[in-house]
């Protein structure tokens, strides 16, 4: 539970200003401001249905920002979504995996689409790292919930994004998986990556240096680490 | 680079399918069963068969394409895979062309195989026109699969999807169908008119393939 | 499965002997006054047609056994007989077409027997595709078995089509009591009977080989999974 | 009790669909566009149209059913809904009949609407035979949708599902199709033969509807 | 973390003896023995892919038990799966919800299939209880992950099963949701219901009196409450 010092880094990775989102007429987010510096981890808390996943979808460019400003690594995302996408990685509630492909083929497709140069050996190594070595030739549709989650998170070791977006990354993982994920995220932050995640699990987030935020009634507020356990 | 991405997306769909060997041959056999249905339903005699040949060819192509469209985005439905694809930093047009290419290749292969079969089964003597007929079929198929792929994208996740897809595709392709049927009929007759129909088909192709990637980009935006 | 291994070689040898004897007889029989040299196709056509139907019958019975007794052996037998039957069906269609050209002046006519035989080919294809389209092999086997049983309605249609409908095709001429059509006379009959026996042996042989192949492949898959999950 | 469960399952599918008004009308419009395709492909004259009528009716019914089959289990695919249905303490046969009933009702409605349309569009004078034709269509539809529902259950989760479904359905229904076409043709002719074809259709219905619930039980077992 | 006293209740709700399960040839569970008495809560821990969900699927009758014995409330489940289903409720990784129906319609369908007599008013009350009053007329497909989970769990208040099976019930729920679920489960246990759940979350389970089990290498072992945090 290391509190993160308020940073005033001159070049933040994410600058979101006055963002909002509506589903039809239902205004889910309004006037959202969020700044995240390199090496910083922002954790979004909030009740079910408060809009955390929606905010992450906006940040991931999955939803188009209709109003407000969104700079990612200095790029105006509304102008150049394409450039922005190359700099971020989003792993959401869904695993984005193809059931009829094996873990290896899934990762091959992922790296080739993003033109990340890798060899099969490296991919196998990554699959080993997330503890799926025994299932390396098994189509993903037969994986257990936690195994899918592990494979989805394995992408983190292949892409080297500036911004990482995670939606409830700890769900379905066992203790070992949580430990491994936290180690990976610590390295990622240490290397200057930025991380924004939604979670209901302050106990598990505690292992990372982070700054907590709360989403309520469509608005985002910074909170103190002490308030975390009530916020989620 | 972009070409490679198109190829990778098509590869995942087609080559992945062919490797499992099911798709192409089952599309072919499906086309044969469509022929059986036509025969059982209409029982054309030999004279009639020649007259019905262009229509038979196009109707079979159309239904084969239609039935194959569900497949185009099937793999993408599961567990947010399509979302993952959209978040890769490739332009939307590339994703569209990747999907289209896979669809096109399979449909062309089926046409290539089904034409001689139709000639044999319906006892039509048009062997010397085979290359010309194939060329016209291929020309029409470009636009047909382009439109089909777009509609498949449009109806992703819709309820009663197959019905909807069919409902949208058939009327939109009716003009192409007429042009295609007339062009082939023209070839089969000694003094038939072909050129204007081919021009029409080409125009449809160009329009659909120019509009589709752009429309696709709009469709997947949220 | 042991029994398959034992009978494979003897059936193989017997098949060759009868085949050679049959073929020798065929080329030493006078040509039919009416049909000329083309009649020799009869000796391929008729036995392959019978074997195609027999194979489907085997598939049906094996499918029932598979569902009823959950017997994997029955399933392997069904899968093997499906490939063999498909091959003979294709052979019947091909030889019939080739024969039809001189006899009827056309490769194909939509008469009841020909159409129902084409349907049989599509059915065989459907059985082969369905088995591998479902990713779970157990489900695939069960679905295939059910489809095979439903499809069996095509068998009586093929067999009795020439009786029920006025067809171009030859009515049964080997069965007693038939008086329509061309009778197959004595000197032509002997090689036909021998070749029918030869084809029966051939079917048995091919099914045996195929079944052993399928069994081996399944065992290999099993070893593969066992290897994958060893040590855990 | 069981009847009520059948009704509830069918209700969820049909009434839920009808209330949103999409399915029935899109099936109807699909059927109309099949007719347009037939017209564009074959251009029958009035004389020919009368001869082609039975085939046209059945082919339209068949393709409409085929395209509608994807819908039957679509709602069940999402988020384990089908699993939930299987865990309710109703016999498997009830689930099958529930699904079948929904499918049957929609198909019958479409047939009811499409028949007068065909007569008008193709300018065929057979109005006095409408009730008899409808009765035969309905008779064939019982077995057709029964078989279709079973096949839809069989191919749940299969790869290239639409193609597979089409590949399996068409050959199996070919005999029913022939019987149905001949029966209607018999009605349209003054001295036509009808009774044996109706007997054949009935036999198929009975066989399929007796086998299907039982086969369905086997299919969903794990 | 109230340890449950070893009970020797004369009529246990669940008796599972020597159960096993294979996927194809991959043996996931073997020789599983489990007895659960009325009012008892058994929690299954185990690494990702250890077979917890599979065991729950067996207990729920979703998978058919091939070997061993399974008595539920005295009924032999292999003989009368149908009877057994009426006595249990399973809420798994999936929510079993229909996206195009509203919460109310989903619950109506649920109760009518199980012939639980309820009124719409009661259903609305249940929907309120799980905090979905604002979304009562919204099709479920637009729900957030946690809202779906809440609705899935709402069934618990309608069915009154002897045996309740839950697979990672806490995932996606916010703090309030967890509190509400634990209160509901406590009442359920208090009223003599039996509960078996799989979880990776000993902190949240701690609020319930329970007996922990560990699944490893396909076998199920009882563990002490002290060992829990390492077991999952
Ligand atoms: C593609 C075309 C053809 C197909 C699909 C076909 C199919 C069949 C089948 C399935 C049988 C076995 C029926 C049974 O055992 O129940 C059969 C038997 C026979 N076929 Fe063909 N046939 C074709 C063409 C021909 C032609 C052109 C001739 C010669 C004129 C011919 C002559 C015979 C004869 C003599 C038998 C034996 C009849 C009997 O004993 O039942 N077939 N054919
Ligand atoms: N349908 C299936 N076909 C083949 N193998 C399967 C299937 N479902 C699960 N498995 C395999 O069985 C094993 C156990 O899976 P299960 O889902 O029961 O694990 P779990 O304990 O629930 O894991 P998690 O904590 O990740 O949810 C895994 O190795 C998985 O790959
Ligand atoms: N596609 C959609 N259409 C309409 N409304 C939606 C859609 N997706 C989400 N919503 C609504 O927007 C609100 C916020 O949803 P969101 O998924 O962002 O919540 P969340 O904070 O991630 O919740 P959870 O903790 O349960 O995951 C909810 O009220 C939800 O019903
Ligand atoms: Mg969320
Ligand atoms: Mg699990």
């Amino acid at each position: 539970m290391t509190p993160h010092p308020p940073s005033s880094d001159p070049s933040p990775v994410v600058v979101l200003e006055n963002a909002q989102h509506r589903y039809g007429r239902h205004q889910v987010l309004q006037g959202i401001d969020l700044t995240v510096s390199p090496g910083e981890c922002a954790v979004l808390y909030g009740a079910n249905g408060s809009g955390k996943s929606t905010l992450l979808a906006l940040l991931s460019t999955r939803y188009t920002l209709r109003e407000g400003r969104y700079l990612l690594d200095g790029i105006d995302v509304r102008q150049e979504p394409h450039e922005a996408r190359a700099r971020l990685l989003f792993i959401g509630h869904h695993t984005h995996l193809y059931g009829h492909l094996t873990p290896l083929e899934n990762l091959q497709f992922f790296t080739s689409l993003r033109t990340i140069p890798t060899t099969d050996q490296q991919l196998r190594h990554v699959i080993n790292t997330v503890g799926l070595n025994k299932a390396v030739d098994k189509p993903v549709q037969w994986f257990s919930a936690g195994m899918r989650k592990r494979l989805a998170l394995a992408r983190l070791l292949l892409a080297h994004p500036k911004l990482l977006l995670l939606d409830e990354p700890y769900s379905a993982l066992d203790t070992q998986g949580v430990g491994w994920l936290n180690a990976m995220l610590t390295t990622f932050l240490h290397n200057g990556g930025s991380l924004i995640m939604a979670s209901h699990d302050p106990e598990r987030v505690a292992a990372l240096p982070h700054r907590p935020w709360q989403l309520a009634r469509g608005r985002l507020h910074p909170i103190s680490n002490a308030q975390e356990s009530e916020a989620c | 680079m972009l070409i490679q991405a198109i190829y990778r997306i098509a590869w995942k769909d087609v080559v992945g399918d062919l490797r499992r060997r099911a798709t192409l041959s089952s599309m072919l056999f499906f086309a044969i069963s469509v022929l059986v249905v036509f025969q059982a339903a209409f029982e054309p005699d030999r004279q009639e068969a020649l007259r019905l040949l262009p229509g038979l060819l196009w109707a079979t192509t159309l239904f084969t394409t239609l039935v194959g469209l569900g497949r185009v985005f099937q793999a993408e439905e599961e567990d947010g895979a399509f979302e993952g694809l959209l978040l890769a930093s490739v332009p939307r047009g590339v994703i569209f062309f990747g999907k289209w290419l896979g669809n096109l290749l399979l449909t062309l292969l089926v046409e290539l195989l089904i034409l001689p079969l139709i000639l044999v089964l319906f006892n039509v003597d048009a062997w010397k026109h085979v290359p010309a007929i194939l060329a016209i079929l291929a020309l029409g198929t470009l636009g047909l699969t382009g439109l089909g792929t777009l509609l498949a994208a449009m109806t992703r996740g819709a309820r009663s999807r197959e019905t909807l897809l069919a409902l949208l595709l058939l009327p939109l392709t009716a003009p192409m169908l007429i042009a295609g049927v007339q062009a082939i009929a023209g070839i089969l007759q000694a003094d038939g008119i072909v050129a204007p129909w081919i021009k029409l088909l080409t125009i449809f192709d160009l329009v659909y393939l120019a509009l589709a990637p752009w429309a696709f980009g709009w469709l997947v935006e949220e | 499965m042991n029994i398959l291994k034992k009978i494979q070689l003897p059936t193989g040898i017997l098949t060759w002997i009868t085949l050679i004897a049959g073929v020798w007889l065929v080329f030493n029989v006078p040509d039919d006054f009416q049909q000329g040299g083309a009649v020799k196709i009869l000796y391929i056509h008729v036995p392959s047609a019978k074997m195609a139907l027999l194979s489907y019958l085997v598939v049906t019975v094996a499918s029932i056994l598979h569902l009823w007794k959950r017997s994997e052996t029955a399933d392997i037998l069904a899968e093997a007989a499906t490939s063999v039957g498909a091959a003979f069906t294709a052979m019947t269609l091909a030889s019939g077409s080739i024969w039809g050209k001189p006899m009827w002046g056309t490769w194909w006519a939509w008469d009841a027997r020909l159409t129902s035989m084409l349907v049989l080919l599509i059915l065989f294809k459907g059985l082969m595709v369905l088995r591998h389209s479902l990713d779970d092999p157990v489900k695939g086997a069960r679905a295939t078995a059910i489809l095979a049983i439903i499809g069996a309605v095509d068998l009586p249609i093929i067999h009795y089509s020439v009786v029920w409908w006025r067809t171009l095709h030859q009515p049964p001429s080997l069965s007693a009591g038939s008086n329509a059509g061309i009778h197959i006379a004595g000197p032509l009959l002997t090689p036909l009977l021998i070749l029918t026996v030869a084809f029966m042996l051939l079917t048995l042989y091919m099914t045996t080989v195929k079944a052993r192949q399928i069994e081996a492949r399944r065992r290999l898959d099993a070893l593969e999974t066992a290897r994958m999950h060893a040590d855990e």
Side-chain angles (χ1 to χ4, degrees), chain A, chain B, chain C:
Chain A
M1 213 163 301
T2 338
H4 197 93
S7 91
S8 52
D9 191 292
S11 62
V13 174
V14 170
V15 178
L16 193 66
E17 279 170 15
N18 194 28
Q20 58 164 60
H21 190 80
R22 285 191 278 149
Y23 289 110
R25 288 215 178 85
H26 172 26
Q27 182 93 33
V28 179
L29 300 175
Q30 46 192 322
I32 303 278
D33 294 322
L34 178 65
T35 311
V36 184
S37 318
E40 184 179 338
C41 165
V43 178
L44 310 176
Y45 294 110
N48 288 142
S50 57
K52 302 180 295 301
S53 301
T54 308
L55 181 52
L56 287 174
L58 272 181
L59 288 166
S60 75
T61 77
R62 183 67 198 88
Y63 291 166
T64 313
L65 194 64
R66 300 251 175 269
E67 250 157 83
R69 208 161 72 106
Y70 177 14
L71 296 185
L72 173 57
D73 199 24
I75 298 167
D76 185 341
V77 177
R78 294 177 71 180
Q79 303 300 323
E80 298 173 274
H82 190 63
E83 283 295 302
R85 271 178 213 125
R87 283 168 174 71
L88 64 80
L89 177 65
F90 172 50
I91 301 169
H93 281 303
H94 293 293
T95 57
H96 310 317
L97 294 171
Y98 292 95
H100 65 287
L101 301 181
T102 66
L104 192 64
E105 289 168 331
N106 264 298
L107 293 185
Q108 279 169 346
F109 184 63
F110 174 76
T111 52
S112 77
L113 258 195
R114 306 212 159 209
T115 54
I116 303 167
T118 42
T119 61
D120 277 11
Q121 215 186 337
Q122 280 172 292
L123 296 182
R124 272 175 204 280
H125 181 72
V126 165
I127 291 170
N128 275 4
T129 313
V130 299
L132 294 175
N133 34 327
K134 274 179 225 132
V136 73
D137 290 321
K138 192 171 187 163
V140 165
Q141 70 208 82
W142 292 335
F143 276 26
S144 77
M147 290 160 78
R148 295 183 74 99
K149 192 84 186 189
R150 281 160 177 254
L151 183 57
L153 290 167
R155 295 184 181 125
L156 232 153
L157 295 169
L158 294 167
H160 296 284
K162 297 257 178 186
L163 173 62
L164 180 61
L165 302 167
L166 300 177
D167 203 349
E168 302 194 31
Y170 300 107
S171 79
L173 288 183
D174 59 14
T175 321
Q176 189 218 350
V178 171
W180 155 81
L181 175 62
N182 272 336
M184 219 159 63
L185 293 180
T186 309
T187 316
F188 173 75
L189 292 172
H190 192 78
N191 293 340
S194 297
L195 168 62
I196 305 179
M197 72 157 106
S199 180
H200 291 297
D201 221 342
E203 296 95 343
R204 282 170 185 169
V205 177
L208 296 173
H210 65 281
R211 182 187 297 197
W213 295 81
Q214 180 171 29
L215 201 53
R217 264 165 265 104
R219 300 194 171 272
L220 191 67
H221 311 279
I223 52 173
S224 74
N225 290 84
Q227 292 171 299
E228 271 185 49
S229 52
E230 290 130 53
C232 51
Chain B
M1 236 298 297
L2 293 184
I3 300 291
Q4 203 213 335
I6 294 183
Y7 165 76
R8 283 300 300 201
I9 294 172
W11 175 89
K12 178 177 68 55
D13 291 351
V14 186
V15 188
D17 262 7
L18 287 186
R19 198 180 38 179
R20 291 180 179 82
R21 265 173 305 151
T23 312
L24 178 67
S25 57
S26 55
M27 278 176 85
L28 180 65
F29 276 86
F30 163 68
I32 297 178
S33 28
V34 172
L35 297 181
V36 174
V37 168
F38 275 111
Q39 167 62 33
F42 301 124
E43 301 184 310
D45 56 31
R46 193 163 169 173
Q47 191 54 33
E48 228 175 354
L50 182 62
R51 201 182 76 69
L52 296 185
L53 178 71
L56 204 57
L57 271 171
W58 277 109
T60 313
T61 305
L62 192 57
F63 283 114
T64 312
T65 311
L66 180 61
V67 162
L69 282 184
R71 197 195 50 243
V72 180
F73 286 97
Q74 189 191 30
E76 314 291 342
E77 304 292 319
E78 12 167 345
D79 218 358
F82 192 60
E83 202 169 51
L85 201 55
L86 291 179
L87 288 177
S89 75
V90 283
R92 268 56 167 130
V94 166
I95 298 178
F96 173 80
F97 280 119
K99 286 283 160 194
W100 171 67
L101 188 64
N103 194 358
L104 177 70
L105 287 179
L106 273 175
T107 315
L108 284 181
L109 268 172
V110 172
E111 284 166 8
L112 190 66
L113 296 171
I114 200 77
L115 176 58
L117 255 168
I118 290 192
L119 295 185
V120 169
L121 289 181
F122 288 88
N123 203 1
V124 176
D125 187 16
W127 291 98
K128 63 178 183 292
H129 298 304
V130 164
I133 296 179
L134 275 180
I136 292 178
L137 276 178
L139 190 65
T141 305
L142 289 178
L144 191 63
T145 48
L147 186 61
T149 308
L150 183 64
L151 293 179
M154 196 178 278
T155 54
R156 271 182 55 241
R159 293 174 17 71
S160 311
R161 184 169 176 222
E162 285 88 355
T163 319
L164 191 60
L165 201 52
L167 173 64
L168 298 175
L169 183 69
L170 296 192
L172 283 176
T173 49
M176 292 193 75
L177 189 67
I178 294 177
V181 168
Q182 298 299 341
I184 294 183
I187 283 184
L188 291 179
Q189 289 151 21
D191 55 347
I193 303 161
V194 180
W197 298 114
I198 287 188
K199 224 176 275 169
L200 202 62
L201 277 182
T202 316
I203 292 173
F204 276 118
D205 282 354
L206 290 179
V207 171
Y208 285 149
L209 288 180
L211 286 183
W214 169 87
F216 181 80
W218 274 99
L219 277 178
V220 298
E221 195 89 335
E222 256 173 285
Chain C
M1 285 296 129
N2 236 337
I3 182 166
L4 292 184
K5 194 173 171 185
K6 278 192 203 127
I7 64 170
Q8 183 174 337
L9 188 64
T11 5
I13 294 169
L14 265 179
T15 307
W16 278 112
I17 294 172
T18 40
L19 265 182
I20 290 168
V23 169
W24 184 85
L25 270 181
V26 166
F27 283 100
N28 287 282
V29 137
D31 283 349
D32 185 83
F33 64 97
Q34 195 185 346
Q35 308 196 6
V39 77
K40 300 221 178 332
I41 296 178
L42 169 96
Y43 300 109
I44 299 176
H45 175 73
V46 178
S48 2
K50 304 264 178 224
M51 289 312 113
L53 300 185
L54 180 67
S55 297
Y56 198 93
L57 202 63
V58 172
V59 174
T60 313
V61 173
S63 296
I64 293 172
L65 279 180
H66 170 63
L67 287 182
W68 186 18
K69 301 278 185 204
R70 292 184 190 280
S71 144
E72 184 167 6
T73 315
D75 182 45
I76 292 175
L77 183 61
E79 188 177 354
T82 303
S83 335
V84 176
F88 278 118
T89 310
M91 186 123 96
T92 311
L93 285 163
S95 60
S97 289
I98 294 169
W99 199 6
K101 191 67 183 169
M103 290 301 295
W104 307 332
T106 170
W107 300 101
W108 185 262
W110 289 99
D111 95 354
R113 170 161 283 176
L114 273 57
T115 308
S116 50
M117 200 62 184
L118 185 60
V119 166
L120 188 70
L121 185 69
I122 302 173
L123 262 177
F124 270 127
K125 177 67 193 175
L127 289 175
M128 285 152 80
V129 175
L130 180 62
R131 179 181 289 276
H132 297 290
S133 301
L134 295 172
D135 296 292
D136 181 350
V138 178
K139 277 190 176 175
R142 214 174 285 160
T144 311
I146 288 169
L147 183 67
I149 294 169
I150 297 174
V153 289
D154 199 33
L155 286 187
I157 296 182
I158 295 175
H159 188 70
Y160 293 110
S161 54
V162 284
V163 185
W164 291 343
W165 288 278
R166 265 188 316 112
T167 52
L168 207 51
H169 194 277
Q170 189 86 354
S173 43
L174 293 183
S175 54
S178 64
N179 41 24
I182 320 148
H183 271 270
I184 297 172
L188 290 132
L189 193 58
T190 322
L192 184 58
L193 285 180
I194 290 179
L195 272 170
T196 306
V197 172
F199 267 60
M200 229 180 253
L201 287 166
L202 182 63
T203 308
L204 182 62
Y205 179 67
M206 284 166 71
T207 313
T208 311
V209 172
K210 190 77 199 171
R212 291 192 63 202
Q213 208 178 337
I214 294 166
E215 218 248 325
R217 203 197 52 226
R218 290 189 187 183
R219 211 159 14 178
L220 201 69
D221 289 350
L223 284 178
E224 192 83 333
T225 32
R227 184 185 60 75
M228 244 151 56
H229 294 277
D231 78 81
E232 273 192 76

